[in-house]
Amino acid sequence: MDIQSDTQPPSNTTGLQLLQVHAYFRHGDRSPTPLGEAKARAKLWETRLQEVPLILQKREYFPQKFPWGLLTVKGAEQSKALGSWLREFYLPEFCGPEYDIRNLQSPEKPVIQLRSTNFLRTHLTAWFVLEGLLGSPEAAASVPISCRDEVDENLYHNDDHCPRLKKQWYTAWRRACESVGADGKKWHSHFKKMQDAMTQALEISLDKPGFLLPMDQPGFPWVKAVDTLECGRFHGDMLPPGISDDQITEVRRLLARDYALTFQDREILQLAVGRLVRELVDAMSECGTIPTLFLYSGHDATIMPLSVALGVPWADWPAYTSCICVELWQSGGGNYFVRVLYDGKGVALPLSREDGALKKEILTLDEFREIANWSMISEAEYSCKCEDMSGLVEGSRSSAV
């Protein structure tokens, strides 16, 4: 059915009925991807990994070299904690204060739907979120984890399967990395001593730096180097001499700012998460009578572009199990409203992309559609655009704001 929402939203959700929650979350703590020193510490990271339940061992995942990029025991604990929060915050709203958790997933009235990217760490995160949400491994096993083929995945910016996005996004990333501050310098130059310390501690050779993310190039692999140190820091490992906690935090914030900037281009944002945003709007526009909790187990590359699509870019690099919840509510008069939470806190969304635009924490569904319309794209439009390389010039911008 086509939902209409033409009234002004209330100041809070008192008296409203919760119909849907779409919870998009990053995976839990993981081991680093190998870079320099990390390769020599394989045995240590093996001891920190989470055991994989038998039911998940039977699936095939995106290939990764053991023990790198896998969920840790700490990551499983974080995921359970997120699931417990979802249970306490949403299930009473969905099912009433006296709900029986054993009745949530009946074939006739499933309350929970879950999708994950095809990585072992995101499937494990999803599993332990379900454990925290439903209270036991047996209950977690009652919820199927669906997954798209890699070529069709839209829970991250899938540039490996979209040539136009690959070209546009890499150009935008280089531009962000080359930008200078008020002092006429790139921010990297202020952390030269830190870079030297990481080069020595991680045994990085710029001629042969080991595994790199595409966003690590060109130049020093800031993203992967900082990530490697932060993974160890979370487990109590000492930082190398010449590097402080404050420096790690500040560099991660600056990297997050650069990362968010790459999605300010409208075409890049559409190709990155436009299909995911359309799925969200379509689901809210066709909601039925059964309250539904939609769970999406993804990555920082899910959280960051989605936050830009909502008009409030994440200010810091998304932490492990960071979560964006998009809620759909209904009033007694039959009108529909939307609220967005970042890590459990309500966020006021700007109603347009203009500077100084009015912000609201609870919006009508029509207002939310207007926000989403800037970034959402259909599957057909996506397919056509991805293969169209016309009009692309090195260093050029498309429809940027």
Side-chain angles (χ1 to χ4, degrees), residues 11 44 63 96 106 111 140 143 167 171 185 189 217 234 242 254 277 282 304 325 340 367 401:
S11 59
L44 175 62
S106 64
V111 172
V143 181
K167 177 71 171 178
T171 299
K185 299 179 180 179
S189 64
Q217 300 177 5
F234 189 73
L254 291 166
V277 175
D282 287 349
M304 186 62 82
C325 291
V340 174
E367 289 172 332
V401 292

Side-chain angles (χ1 to χ4, degrees), residues 108-119:
E108 298 79 18
K109 298 177 64 177
V111 172
I112 302 164
Q113 296 187 34
L114 193 154
R115 181 154 72 90
S116 173
T117 62
N118 197 32
F119 288 77

Side-chain angles (χ1 to χ4, degrees), residues 116-138:
S116 173
T117 62
N118 197 32
F119 288 77
L120 178 54
R121 64 177 176 270
T122 51
H123 276 251
L124 273 174
T125 296
W127 174 270
F128 287 108
V129 166
L130 289 175
E131 273 202 28
L133 177 63
L134 301 176
S136 70
E138 293 75 21

Side-chain angles (χ1 to χ4, degrees), residues 77 125 143 159 190 273 280 285-286 316 355 387:
E77 293 170 353
T125 296
V143 181
D159 45 80
H190 297 286
V273 290
L280 168 63
S285 299
E286 300 170 0
D316 298 302
D355 291 339
E387 299 302 326

Side-chain angles (χ1 to χ4, degrees), residues 251-300:
V251 169
R252 286 289 272 182
R253 186 188 66 79
L254 291 166
L255 287 168
R257 183 197 64 184
D258 288 353
Y259 190 29
L261 281 174
T262 66
F263 299 108
Q264 295 299 329
D265 183 292
R266 187 178 186 183
E267 182 176 77
I268 291 175
L269 188 61
Q270 287 178 327
L271 294 176
V273 290
R275 294 175 298 155
L276 185 64
V277 175
R278 179 171 285 277
E279 278 185 20
L280 168 63
V281 172
D282 287 349
M284 291 193 296
S285 299
E286 300 170 0
C287 71
T289 58
I290 301 172
T292 307
L293 174 59
F294 296 90
L295 303 176
Y296 306 86
S297 185
H299 308 262
D300 45 13

Side-chain angles (χ1 to χ4, degrees), residues 21-29 50-51 53 56 71-91 99 101 104-105 112-116 120-145 293-299 303 319-325 343:
V21 176
H22 297 259
Y24 305 87
F25 48 88
R26 187 188 179 193
H27 55 75
D29 174 71
Q50 173 61 47
E51 183 179 353
L56 295 186
L71 195 75
T72 65
V73 172
K74 287 181 177 289
E77 293 170 353
Q78 292 172 325
S79 303
K80 286 182 184 178
L82 174 60
S84 296
W85 178 81
L86 291 168
R87 180 185 68 234
E88 295 168 6
F89 201 76
Y90 287 122
L91 291 192
Y99 69 90
I101 205 157
L104 287 180
Q105 286 303 107
I112 302 164
Q113 296 187 34
L114 193 154
R115 181 154 72 90
S116 173
L120 178 54
R121 64 177 176 270
T122 51
H123 276 251
L124 273 174
T125 296
W127 174 270
F128 287 108
V129 166
L130 289 175
E131 273 202 28
L133 177 63
L134 301 176
S136 70
E138 293 75 21
S142 70
V143 181
I145 302 176
L293 174 59
F294 296 90
L295 303 176
Y296 306 86
S297 185
H299 308 262
I303 299 298
Y320 295 125
T321 63
S322 285
C323 184
I324 296 176
C325 291
D343 287 344

